[in-house]
Amino acid sequence: MKIDKIETFLLESPIEEPFGWSMGWAEKRTCLVTKITTDDGVVGWGEGGGSPSQSVIHDIFAPILLGKDPGNINQLWHEFFQSLHNDNQTGGFGGDAISNIDIALWDIAGKAAGKSISDLLGGSIRDKVAVYATGLYYREDEFPTKLIAEAESYAQSGYKGMKTKIGGLSVPDDVKRVKAIRDAIGDDLYLMVDANKAYNVSTAIDIGNRLSDLNIHWFEEPVLANDVDAYLEVKSGQPLAIAGGEVLHNRYEARDFLSNRALDIIQPDVRFIGGITEFRNVATMANAMGIQVNPHVWGSPIMISASISLTSTFPACPYARVPRPYEQEPVMEFDQTPSPIRNELASIAFEQKGGYVEIPKGPGLGIEIDESVVERFCVGRATSEL
Ligand code: CA
């Protein structure tokens, strides 16, 4: 089997109600998806990056890929990596392109073998994956009615945990906002906070201490994403468990966070870390160091399916006779913010029941992409072919 054609589609959809976090305000959702077609007619879909990655895929990766056997994922991954690494661009401009193509190659491998991605990875360890609701972003006129109604809706629909934003308001106002959520949902559900890198070390330590009596399960991205020393200072200066790592691009970037125990929980994103291939490497490194792996997931059904499949194969950390989500078992982010692309791109939607989602069982990613939806949201396309 050989790769005949590589097509990329930059997708964009408006959303009904804008929402924000410490560093941004969303009025639309975007993603870059790739369709790889083989001479046997097998099609694989990948996701990751934006228009810079589109250029990398067609200018740098297409000459590596066209005419090659898509089953040689390991060899191709390292050819991609070296093609960028030698220009020192792996983690910067276009580095997400590796993830995008890697996911598509795993989709092809699964479809060609008639196996799901979790089966290709050696089989799942659990029959469903624990998820938490990501929502509770900042919105206009939200406090307290809309905010509390949203938190209560997650509790009522079965989630065992949810995550909100901090860093968008003053420290006292954010603490008040988090307390309102905790008061509304009670003490039995997990509640996490995400600063999206909003703070310097002293402010992060300040808010971590102020939140310490609200039973916060983790404090995500307190400071600059690549500053290992700052993470270590925050970790030792306040009592909350520290999470981060969603922007890491490969095992080398993850290494210093892991070896220094700068994180309690690492949250790689399959669209950034280097796809399924590299995510597995980083997850194994983290597991050996007793660091939880709770994937960052915020995209289309392509990356959601890839993330569930991967997460189903992660061993408990540490081993336990009956591992529990949030303690030994991984818990995956499940994005509840508005996204027509997420809701419409695939024929099946992943649904949360009782705090879990089912593992995709069909070949490859186990989803059918609706190409009329790709056309509808596409704002930029490119093609490379033999
Ligand atoms: Ca985050």
Side-chain angles (χ1 to χ4, degrees):
M1 189 160 54
K2 288 192 180 119
I3 294 170
D4 259 359
K5 193 175 181 183
I6 303 152
E7 295 163 273
T8 53
F9 307 90
L10 192 59
L11 308 184
E12 184 178 300
S13 74
I15 51 177
E16 276 182 16
E17 185 180 19
F19 58 91
W21 56 100
S22 65
M23 294 193 11
W25 189 257
E27 297 189 343
K28 61 185 181 185
R29 296 289 296 264
T30 62
C31 66
L32 179 69
V33 302
T34 298
K35 178 185 180 187
I36 296 181
T37 308
T38 70
D39 58 351
D40 286 1
V42 180
V43 166
W45 289 89
E47 176 182 356
S51 52
S53 294
Q54 198 167 24
S55 306
V56 168
I57 287 167
H58 294 283
D59 295 346
I60 303 175
F61 293 175
I64 296 171
L65 279 166
L66 288 170
K68 296 282 177 53
D69 179 348
N72 291 334
I73 302 175
N74 277 326
Q75 184 191 333
L76 291 168
W77 193 99
H78 287 90
E79 281 192 57
F80 304 149
F81 185 80
Q82 292 306 328
S83 71
L84 298 182
H85 187 67
N86 289 337
D87 290 332
N88 293 318
Q89 289 174 345
T90 319
F93 175 83
D96 305 332
I98 297 181
S99 305
N100 193 324
I101 298 300
D102 180 85
I103 296 167
L105 294 177
W106 279 92
D107 192 20
I108 289 174
K111 285 171 177 164
K115 289 185 168 186
S116 68
I117 286 173
S118 39
D119 282 345
L120 286 183
L121 291 169
S124 52
I125 282 178
R126 49 195 68 85
D127 56 10
K128 54 190 179 177
V129 166
V131 293
Y132 67 89
T134 275
L136 305 167
Y137 282 60
Y138 300 104
R139 291 184 290 167
E140 298 289 351
D141 303 320
E142 62 161 11
F143 195 83
T145 311
K146 271 163 66 175
L147 180 71
I148 288 172
E150 186 186 349
E152 286 172 342
S153 75
Y154 298 141
Q156 282 157 12
S157 66
Y159 284 102
K160 306 301 179 206
M162 63 190 78
K163 191 170 79 188
T164 187
K165 295 299 178 185
I166 56 173
L169 303 172
S170 69
V171 167
D173 283 348
D174 265 334
V175 172
K176 195 167 109 186
R177 190 175 176 273
V178 176
K179 184 171 188 318
I181 297 170
R182 173 53 82 200
D183 289 346
I185 65 174
D187 270 336
D188 292 342
L189 297 182
Y190 292 97
L191 178 61
M192 291 75 78
V193 296
D194 183 0
N196 295 99
K197 325 163 192 57
Y199 303 123
N200 56 34
V201 168
S202 60
T203 313
I205 288 173
D206 179 26
I207 195 165
N209 280 303
R210 292 191 199 213
L211 290 170
S212 63
D213 59 355
L214 295 178
N215 189 17
I216 301 301
H217 190 62
W218 74 65
F219 179 4
E220 181 169 323
E221 286 203 305
V223 289
L224 274 180
N226 58 358
D227 193 339
V228 174
D229 290 336
Y231 266 79
L232 284 167
E233 286 185 64
V234 175
K235 197 163 165 256
S236 62
Q238 53 80 55
L240 306 182
I242 296 299
E246 66 186 62
V247 300
L248 298 174
H249 275 80
N250 50 62
R251 80 197 85 142
Y252 309 105
E253 289 187 5
R255 176 187 55 204
D256 292 344
F257 279 92
L258 295 173
S259 64
N260 285 292
R261 306 310 204 262
L263 296 164
D264 297 290
I265 295 151
I266 192 165
Q267 303 167 299
D269 184 309
V270 73
R271 297 165 307 160
F272 306 144
I273 193 69
I276 291 165
T277 302
E278 190 73 339
F279 200 138
R280 185 173 48 168
N281 295 332
V282 171
T284 305
M285 288 163 64
N287 185 271
M289 296 177 188
I291 293 170
Q292 299 293 331
V293 181
N294 292 344
H296 178 262
V297 180
W298 212 72
S300 89
I302 296 170
M303 69 89 65
I304 296 172
S305 174
S307 302
I308 301 171
S309 304
L310 265 164
T311 309
S312 76
T313 70
F314 296 157
C317 181
Y319 172 80
R321 184 174 58 81
V322 184
R324 291 172 294 274
Y326 298 89
E327 294 180 18
Q328 299 87 10
E329 246 188 48
V331 56
M332 195 190 93
E333 180 165 34
F334 208 52
D335 165 27
Q336 299 299 298
T337 53
S339 173
I341 294 172
R342 183 194 64 227
N343 295 341
E344 297 173 39
L345 196 65
S347 51
I348 58 159
F350 295 105
E351 283 182 20
Q352 174 274 144
K353 278 190 195 140
Y356 291 88
V357 290
E358 297 290 327
I359 300 161
K361 292 280 196 282
L365 291 168
I367 55 173
E368 288 294 326
I369 298 298
D370 184 337
E371 298 207 33
S372 69
V373 176
V374 174
E375 295 296 329
R376 178 149 51 88
F377 290 130
C378 186
V379 294
R381 70 175 62 217
T383 302
S384 302
E385 54 190 323
L386 278 180

